[in-house]
Amino acid sequence: MAWMGKKEKRKIRLMGVLLAVMMLFASGCEWARELSEEFEEAEVQARAEDAMELLNACDFEAIEELVDEAFKDQLSAEILEEALGEKIQSLGEFDGYSDEAVVGLKSKDYDGNVAVAVLNGTYKNGTIAVTISYNTDYKIIGFYAK
């Protein structure tokens, strides 16, 4: 890694952190058949679409405001911008959603029910799948884009 510059090393670390967060949930999670009664599906979907609007505007500070305090070190504005900023900008103008879904999740690693919104966004230059996890306070506890 001595041949890499600081920027490349940082990107690798940031992607590692995002991957670790996703693995944390994947390792101890079971998909629920239905969304917990603690959530309103329309509310989860609306909040996820709001977060996508912020992502499309590259307003990573505003996304961080939506993150649960316990997860801000893993989903800070800086981390989100490093991981997603260039990708979102390269996609061009947002056209809409090709698909959206909200599902329930139970986690052995997280005490409580989780709602997961999956949004497949289409853009002038490509697509992106964004998965946003919420706790029962409708705070973001996971944010992944591929």
Side-chain angles (χ1 to χ4, degrees):
M1 288 182 73
W3 55 270
M4 285 190 210
K6 287 183 181 181
K7 187 174 182 179
E8 289 85 9
K9 288 179 184 179
R10 186 174 189 170
K11 280 186 179 181
I12 289 172
R13 279 196 315 262
L14 293 173
M15 291 306 291
V17 168
L18 289 175
L19 181 60
V21 169
M22 290 308 298
M23 288 177 63
L24 170 74
F25 281 105
S27 66
C29 297
E30 299 175 10
W31 293 104
R33 292 188 179 260
E34 294 181 12
L35 189 62
S36 166
E37 291 179 4
E38 296 175 273
F39 295 101
E40 293 290 330
E41 184 175 352
E43 181 71 15
V44 174
Q45 188 168 347
R47 287 178 184 251
E49 288 175 1
D50 290 345
M52 274 292 283
E53 285 181 30
L54 296 172
L55 179 63
N56 291 334
C58 292
D59 192 348
F60 300 103
E61 290 82 14
I63 295 172
E64 182 180 350
E65 294 286 322
L66 304 174
V67 173
D68 184 272
E69 198 64 40
F71 293 86
K72 284 193 179 189
D73 61 329
Q74 300 163 10
L75 296 170
S76 70
E78 184 177 303
I79 289 172
L80 292 168
E81 182 173 6
E82 284 288 326
L84 301 172
E86 287 181 30
K87 174 68 174 172
I88 289 298
Q89 290 176 357
S90 72
L91 289 171
E93 186 177 336
F94 178 70
D95 291 327
Y97 299 108
S98 61
D99 192 27
E100 297 178 80
V102 176
V103 295
L105 175 77
K106 291 190 185 274
S107 174
K108 296 174 187 170
D109 299 323
Y110 179 77
D111 186 26
N113 289 308
V114 177
V116 180
V118 181
L119 305 164
N120 293 309
T122 59
Y123 297 79
K124 180 180 179 182
N125 301 321
T127 62
I128 192 168
V130 177
T131 304
I132 307 171
S133 303
Y134 291 91
N135 63 17
T136 54
D137 294 325
Y138 292 97
K139 291 290 195 175
I140 294 174
I141 58 172
F143 199 104
Y144 177 76
K146 181 178 176 183

